[in-house]
Amino acid sequence: MAAKGSHSHVKLEGEIERCRAEGHWGQLRHLAQQLLPLARPPRKVAAAGGAQDAEDYGSMLLAEALLEECLKEKFAKLKDSIPLTEKNEPKLSEAKQYLTNILSRGKLRPKYMTEAMLILGKLHYVEGSYRDAISMYARAGIDDLSTKDEPLYMLRLVTEAFVIKGLSLERSTNSIASRARLCEREEEVMACFETACFIAQVYLQELEKTLNNTHSRSIKGSNVTYSEFELSYFLEAALQSAYVTHLKKGNIVKGMRSLREILRTVETKSTQTFKMTAAKQLAQVLLHSLSEDCYWSPLSDLLPEFMNKEDQSYVSNLCRRPELYTEENAYCPQDNVEEALLLLLISESMANRDAVISRAPDQQDDRAISLRDASAVYDLLSITLGRRGQYVMLSECLERAMKFAFDEFHLWYQLALSMVACGKSAYAVSVLKECAKLRPTDPTVPLLAAKVCIGSLHWLEEGEYFAKMVIDLGEDAGESLAKGYLALGLTYSLQATDGLVKNLLKTGEGEMNLTKAKEERPATLKGTQDELNKKALQTLERARDLAPEDHQIILYLSLQLALVRQISDAIEHLQEALQLCKDDLNSLHLLALLFSAQKHYQHALDVINMAVVEYPESFSLLFTKVKLEWIHKGPEEALVTCRHMLQMWQMVYNVLQHSGSEKGSSVTETPVIKKHNGLHLTLPDAHDADSGSQRASSLAASRLEQAMSEITMQSSAMKQGPMQLWTALEQIWLQAAELFMEQQHLKEASFCIQEAASLFPTSHAVLYMRGKLAEMKGNLEEARQLYDEALTVNPAGVEIMHSLGVSPPSIAVKCVTQETVLYNPKQNYSDPLSLLEGRTFGMLTCCHRTGLVLSRLERRDLAQKVLRDAIRIQTTSHRAWNSLGEVLQAQGKNEAAIECFLTALDLESSSPVIPFTVIPREL
């Protein structure tokens, strides 16, 4: 019987230790109440606890259970450092009474007496009696306690004792007057926090091993799993107090070391959420407080300047060290941004795994916490990936967040911004529509959508819709109202210049809707264009009235006046814009074009040269300079500028290559490109200007050939970097080829075309220029084939059709037939000379070239009709007026021809060297 009783007491003690270690306070309270009656028979007391008083032992366990239950119930007050009072907390009062009686009697043996002191010290702290807590821990002698070979619950008690002592010392420093004593107190606080952190990690690792073994054996009575174990307030404080205190005091290096040590310890299930928080905080420190020059990798030693200051450790040799992950085959970041990204990607994975997506009312609080944590991670990811220009990766991360972002504007808007940045414009507009539904009164959302539609997508109808959304907000839109009118004015302007052809190309399965096209009369189209230009002017004037100090609005008002050929008014408004912003690239560019429209070529060159000094890498300005020099000074000067453009291109390319390869980082750093550095190009059509006869220059040719030899290897290599950069290089070569052809230097022109072809062999511009070169050499059949290929690539090519128009009839008929078949492959065109009788307005921009072809084919009546239609649609086309005059003259209608020629001369007097549409119209 004695052996049986002894076995039951051993089992009871084991169950008590397990409950204290795992935090099952309800069960511990039940076991303690079972233990109390054993105190009556003296012999049983001796059997159960040796020399200890069993009643006091049971009272201690009961006091601990009551205190922990009270702390769990009052977690919010504990977190806010609000003291608990005996008057309002009966469990706290009862626990304190038990512990006070135990210590006053002193019947417990030393081991359990120390435990009672540790529990009472915690009780003093939650009451706000910080001095009593410190005194109790000093009485217990926690600085000399060893954690070796101690049960798990003792590790927990010691951990809590050290962290509470540190917190109590922090709250008691106000009474210290001596600076030296204050420094000693701070060092003592840090020693407590670091010791608590180490012991806490050891405790959690050992607890997980114990619970895993218990679960694997399926021991009866273990009715909880380890996944249900939660960190208590004091355990969490023990893990984070050390690095939080370091960071608060500005000890960045010590704080980083503490965070890295925590993240390198072997993870337990209970610390997963905490480690996600620690990873976020370390990422914040790396991004915000540490420069790249001061960075050291996690597996390397500290920098020499930090060694003497930061190598002090407060951890006592009495505590065990937690287990760390092995360093074998471990990935080591190379810089602070890379380490931050690695931490955040791990945090993002954990946030997605633990996301609460249920919309049940009882999970509302958990869902809010989950969303808050995830949003913090994605905000930091946006900063980190934005530094490296990795917007594609960022958009992919944010797409994964959509599963728990229901009705959450912030994450939706972040996704939209990332998609805009990485070029997924169509998806960005769809996301912005959802954002607008979530915040219908926020004008920035539709304004951004309008910007994307007008700019990269050229969705003019959608851009108009979003702009009107901003305007409909009225005064609620605030400062965005003027931008709303600006966006609407730009959509009207773009519809007037670009939208008519798009609206006419109504296709169904590749076939043009000819009936619809025939119903659209030219006069109606002309009226529509005039109406759109009028609405654009009125809307832009309204925007200027709302924001008279906005130079961008005044610039676009000036541009719209230029498009309708009100040159003097355009210059007057542009002067206002330049007074507000003297160095704006587009304003200077437009001023040069306006001067060229007035045939003040030297003034235009002076403005362009001034703008090039301010923006030396702007290829758009340099192309305009080439055109002006070609017209005003001849191709010799223009070739010198082309050589400079090649050198500038090589410099920009080398900078990009160096920026991308200067670091051996796994996340390649993409340079953040400013708007006007030459890589965001609005390239002019290199073939719009009429060619004049100029002198050849052997000096310019030799200089250009030297630039060619320097850059040949670069242009033939594998293309890396932004595609706009390579497109610019192609246009430079083709511009040089055109200048050489103007000088009859066909060999040099052929070399330039070959260089362009090595970049984009199937480019319609390259094919067109090869055809032009073949035509100059007299190889008309080869020219015809090249024009055919160019027309296949770009059926709407204006200059291709112009070349076909001045080619022999056999070439012209064949190519015009092919062009029309491309638009309507199902229609039978057995008679090439009658194909244009059923033509549509899908090639409105090429009407005057087609008219020339018809004139060469002696179909002058039809040519006259086509050219008149072109004039009704674009009344400012001096070439169309001139072509119509030639047709009328051939028909013997001299008076009408004279009127057309005079009109063409008048329009030509206001035509710039490059169309005004080269100025980008965007928000």
Side-chain angles (χ1 to χ4, degrees):
M1 293 296 293
K4 185 176 181 181
S6 175
H7 175 72
S8 63
H9 284 296
V10 170
K11 184 178 180 182
L12 181 61
E13 286 185 349
E15 192 69 12
I16 289 173
E17 287 189 5
R18 187 185 67 82
C19 292
R20 296 181 72 185
E22 299 176 17
H24 304 321
W25 307 116
Q27 190 174 354
L28 177 64
R29 186 176 178 181
H30 176 71
L31 294 173
Q33 290 173 346
Q34 290 182 5
L35 189 62
L36 287 176
L38 297 179
R40 295 174 183 174
R43 293 182 180 178
K44 292 186 177 180
V45 172
Q52 73 176 1
D53 187 338
E55 184 176 357
D56 285 350
Y57 178 63
S59 298
M60 183 194 71
L61 298 178
L62 187 57
E64 183 179 21
L66 290 170
L67 176 60
E68 295 295 340
E69 287 177 350
C70 178
L71 296 182
K72 190 173 182 180
E73 293 170 0
K74 304 300 177 181
F75 180 82
K77 287 187 176 183
L78 193 63
K79 189 175 181 181
D80 295 334
S81 300
I82 300 176
L84 305 180
T85 60
E86 296 183 50
K87 181 179 179 181
N88 298 326
E89 307 297 338
K91 290 184 178 180
L92 185 68
S93 176
E94 186 178 356
K96 185 175 182 179
Q97 185 177 359
Y98 278 130
L99 292 170
T100 304
N101 293 335
I102 291 172
L103 294 179
S104 64
R105 284 195 295 266
K107 295 182 180 180
L108 281 175
R109 55 181 189 167
K111 175 185 177 183
Y112 296 120
M113 187 67 72
T114 300
E115 294 178 11
M117 292 177 186
L118 296 180
I119 298 170
L120 185 57
K122 178 162 48 170
L123 191 148
H124 285 319
Y125 174 82
V126 299
E127 283 185 320
S129 303
Y130 305 126
R131 290 176 180 270
D132 293 340
I134 297 172
S135 176
M136 188 58 62
Y137 289 136
R139 181 178 171 185
I142 63 171
D143 294 332
D144 299 324
L145 289 178
S146 174
T147 58
K148 296 179 180 179
D149 301 324
E150 291 290 338
L152 282 179
Y153 74 85
M154 193 61 187
L155 292 179
R156 177 184 59 80
L157 286 175
V158 174
T159 297
E160 294 174 342
F162 274 107
V163 73
I164 291 172
K165 179 183 177 182
L167 293 172
S168 299
L169 289 171
E170 269 192 331
R171 288 162 170 77
S172 304
T173 54
N174 295 332
S175 61
I176 301 176
S178 170
R179 181 180 297 272
R181 179 67 183 124
L182 184 60
C183 293
E184 292 178 2
R185 176 62 63 87
E186 290 178 354
E187 291 183 1
E188 188 177 1
V189 168
M190 289 310 308
C192 291
F193 287 158
E194 291 189 0
T195 303
C197 182
F198 274 90
I199 301 176
Q201 292 178 81
V202 173
Y203 161 70
L204 293 171
Q205 289 176 351
E206 294 298 324
L207 179 62
E208 182 177 64
K209 294 177 183 177
T210 301
L211 287 173
N212 287 340
N213 292 336
T214 303
H215 180 69
S216 62
R217 296 172 188 170
S218 299
I219 296 180
K220 295 181 180 180
S222 179
N223 53 5
V224 294
T225 62
Y226 184 63
S227 60
E228 296 175 344
F229 181 81
E230 297 180 359
L231 291 179
S232 66
Y233 169 79
F234 290 111
L235 282 176
E236 190 167 351
L239 292 171
Q240 65 184 12
S241 291
Y243 72 79
V244 168
T245 304
H246 282 313
L247 295 177
K248 281 184 178 180
K249 293 182 178 181
N251 298 327
I252 303 301
V253 177
K254 288 183 178 180
M256 282 184 56
R257 290 183 65 182
S258 297
L259 281 166
R260 283 175 168 176
E261 288 174 357
I262 289 173
L263 293 173
R264 288 180 61 194
T265 57
V266 175
E267 186 178 82
T268 62
K269 293 181 180 179
S270 60
T271 59
Q272 288 178 345
T273 302
F274 165 74
K275 283 203 171 184
M276 183 178 72
T277 303
K280 287 190 297 183
Q281 290 176 325
L282 179 55
Q284 287 178 315
V285 173
L286 290 166
L287 295 173
H288 180 267
S289 304
L290 189 71
S291 66
E292 294 186 8
D293 296 333
C294 297
Y295 177 80
W296 78 98
S297 66
L299 301 182
S300 65
D301 296 329
L302 277 172
L303 297 177
E305 55 265 32
F306 299 137
M307 291 297 292
N308 295 332
K309 300 179 182 179
E310 310 295 343
D311 58 355
Q312 182 179 4
S313 177
Y314 302 107
V315 181
S316 171
N317 294 327
L318 296 176
C319 66
R320 296 160 54 187
R321 298 278 177 163
E323 297 180 14
L324 303 178
Y325 288 110
T326 60
E327 299 178 2
E328 296 180 4
N329 301 321
Y331 172 77
C332 186
Q334 301 297 317
D335 56 54
N336 57 337
V337 176
E338 190 171 325
E339 183 176 351
L341 178 58
L342 178 62
L343 292 167
L344 292 172
L345 289 176
I346 295 172
S347 299
E348 187 234 354
S349 176
M350 297 173 68
N352 279 329
R353 181 196 61 194
D354 301 332
V356 179
I357 60 177
S358 173
R359 307 296 298 178
D362 58 337
Q363 295 192 4
Q364 182 176 357
D365 293 340
D366 293 337
R367 186 170 64 252
I369 295 173
S370 173
L371 177 65
R372 181 195 63 199
D373 294 340
S375 296
V377 172
Y378 287 114
D379 288 343
L380 291 171
L381 272 173
S382 299
I383 296 173
T384 307
L385 293 173
R387 287 188 178 184
R388 294 298 175 91
Q390 298 293 331
Y391 297 109
V392 175
M393 183 184 296
L394 176 60
S395 66
E396 293 172 353
C397 292
L398 288 168
E399 282 186 83
R400 292 194 290 268
M402 289 298 102
K403 69 179 183 180
F404 53 86
F406 180 75
D407 281 349
E408 295 299 332
F409 172 81
H410 180 69
L411 287 176
W412 278 93
Y413 196 55
Q414 289 284 78
L415 176 62
L417 292 175
S418 67
M419 287 185 167
V420 172
C422 71
K424 299 178 181 178
S425 302
Y427 292 104
V429 172
S430 299
V431 176
L432 286 170
K433 287 181 180 179
E434 296 299 321
C435 293
K437 294 177 183 178
L438 296 175
R439 283 195 183 174
T441 59
D442 188 348
T444 60
V445 176
L447 199 59
L448 178 59
K451 177 179 180 178
V452 176
C453 291
I454 293 172
S456 57
L457 292 176
H458 210 65
W459 290 356
L460 302 183
E461 292 79 6
E462 289 80 358
E464 179 182 352
Y465 167 77
F466 286 116
K468 288 181 177 178
M469 284 182 63
V470 180
I471 294 173
D472 290 341
L473 293 175
E475 295 182 357
D476 294 336
E479 296 179 355
S480 299
L481 184 59
K483 291 295 184 181
Y485 277 104
L486 173 60
L488 184 61
L490 291 179
T491 59
Y492 288 149
S493 178
L494 288 166
Q495 287 174 11
T497 56
D498 305 338
L500 292 176
V501 174
K502 178 182 175 181
N503 291 336
L504 287 174
L505 292 178
K506 307 293 184 180
T507 58
E509 299 179 355
E511 182 177 1
M512 177 171 285
N513 191 335
L514 295 175
T515 303
K516 179 66 177 177
K518 289 179 180 179
E519 291 175 357
E520 296 286 352
R521 302 308 305 157
T524 304
L525 297 175
K526 168 63 171 55
T528 302
Q529 186 180 49
D530 290 344
E531 181 65 23
L532 287 170
N533 281 324
K534 181 180 178 181
K535 291 167 69 175
L537 277 175
Q538 292 174 346
T539 308
L540 291 171
E541 288 175 352
R542 173 61 175 155
R544 185 194 59 178
D545 294 339
L546 290 171
E549 301 297 322
D550 191 325
H551 76 278
Q552 187 185 38
I553 293 177
I554 303 175
L555 163 66
Y556 287 127
L557 177 58
S558 174
L559 176 59
Q560 184 59 32
L561 289 168
L563 290 172
V564 296
R565 300 303 175 87
Q566 298 181 25
I567 305 299
S568 298
D569 292 339
I571 291 178
E572 181 179 350
H573 284 84
L574 189 58
Q575 288 175 347
E576 298 179 20
L578 286 170
Q579 288 176 357
L580 295 171
C581 186
K582 294 181 175 58
D583 58 351
D584 180 63
L585 183 147
N586 289 327
S587 297
L588 294 172
H589 198 175
L590 178 58
L591 181 61
L593 294 180
L594 289 170
F595 280 145
S596 72
Q598 293 181 326
K599 310 310 176 210
H600 299 158
Y601 295 120
Q602 186 58 50
H603 291 333
L605 270 173
D606 292 342
V607 173
I608 281 293
N609 288 329
M610 180 174 60
V612 168
V613 171
E614 193 71 24
Y615 302 97
E617 299 177 11
S618 173
F619 290 109
S620 181
L621 290 174
L622 292 172
F623 277 119
T624 302
K625 182 180 179 181
V626 169
K627 291 289 186 180
L628 287 169
E629 290 176 337
W630 184 1
I631 294 174
H632 187 55
K633 297 183 177 180
E636 177 182 354
E637 292 289 336
L639 281 169
V640 174
T641 302
C642 280
R643 175 179 178 273
H644 170 71
M645 292 172 70
L646 287 171
Q647 294 173 343
M648 182 61 65
W649 186 96
Q650 188 173 24
M651 183 187 71
V652 173
Y653 176 80
N654 290 338
V655 168
L656 290 180
Q657 289 294 100
H658 176 71
S659 299
S661 60
E662 63 182 358
K663 293 181 181 180
S665 174
S666 63
V667 181
T668 304
E669 183 168 357
T670 302
V672 179
I673 300 169
K674 296 183 179 179
K675 182 163 186 167
H676 298 307
N677 68 349
L679 301 182
H680 290 268
L681 300 176
T682 306
L683 291 178
D685 187 353
H687 319 298
D688 274 351
D690 295 329
S691 298
S693 177
Q694 303 290 345
R695 293 185 301 108
S697 172
S698 59
L699 177 61
S702 63
R703 289 180 176 177
L704 186 60
E705 287 175 358
Q706 180 182 359
M708 292 173 186
S709 63
E710 293 173 355
I711 205 169
T712 299
M713 294 303 294
Q714 300 280 8
S715 62
S716 60
M718 182 180 297
K719 294 188 286 292
Q720 298 179 358
M723 184 57 63
Q724 298 96 325
L725 188 64
W726 295 98
T727 305
L729 180 59
E730 178 206 25
Q731 294 297 323
I732 294 171
W733 287 120
L734 295 178
Q735 181 67 81
E738 194 170 18
L739 291 170
F740 277 126
M741 283 189 282
E742 176 68 20
Q743 295 178 310
Q744 300 298 318
H745 290 178
L746 303 186
K747 180 179 179 181
E748 290 81 356
S750 177
F751 179 84
C752 292
I753 295 172
Q754 289 177 4
E755 290 296 325
S758 68
L759 298 172
F760 302 102
T762 59
S763 167
H764 67 88
V766 172
L767 295 171
Y768 165 77
M769 198 62 69
R770 289 176 60 192
K772 188 174 181 179
L773 180 63
E775 192 173 350
M776 292 187 67
K777 292 180 178 179
N779 301 328
L780 299 183
E781 180 61 26
E782 182 183 355
R784 179 192 64 78
Q785 293 178 358
L786 291 168
Y787 287 146
D788 278 352
E789 294 175 9
L791 196 58
T792 301
V793 176
N794 181 29
V798 175
E799 290 305 317
I800 300 171
M801 291 303 300
H802 178 269
S803 297
L804 292 174
V806 297
S807 298
S810 60
I811 300 179
V813 171
K814 185 176 188 304
C815 292
V816 174
T817 303
Q818 178 182 356
E819 177 208 358
T820 310
V821 170
L822 285 171
Y823 274 92
N824 193 357
K826 297 183 180 180
Q827 186 168 340
N828 182 18
Y829 296 109
S830 56
D831 183 7
L833 296 180
S834 64
L835 64 93
L836 289 177
E837 295 179 359
R839 66 175 296 280
T840 71
F841 294 101
M843 297 293 294
L844 293 174
T845 57
C846 303
C847 281
H848 67 283
R849 300 300 184 192
T850 308
L852 291 177
V853 174
L854 291 170
S855 179
R856 294 288 299 273
L857 296 174
E858 300 183 354
R859 298 296 301 273
R860 295 188 177 90
D861 291 337
L862 186 56
Q864 181 186 160
K865 177 184 179 300
V866 170
L867 290 170
R868 288 187 183 277
D869 289 346
I871 290 170
R872 291 188 182 99
I873 296 168
Q874 183 54 266
T875 57
T876 58
S877 174
H878 66 278
R879 294 185 181 182
W881 280 101
N882 186 72
S883 299
L884 179 59
E886 293 176 356
V887 172
L888 292 174
Q889 185 181 22
Q891 290 178 322
K893 301 177 182 179
N894 294 329
E895 293 183 2
I898 291 173
E899 282 188 25
C900 292
F901 289 142
L902 291 175
T903 304
L905 286 173
D906 181 60
L907 291 172
E908 195 275 336
S909 66
S910 62
S911 297
V913 292
I914 290 178
F916 291 118
T917 52
V918 74
I919 305 297
R921 284 167 283 180
E922 58 189 14
L923 291 176

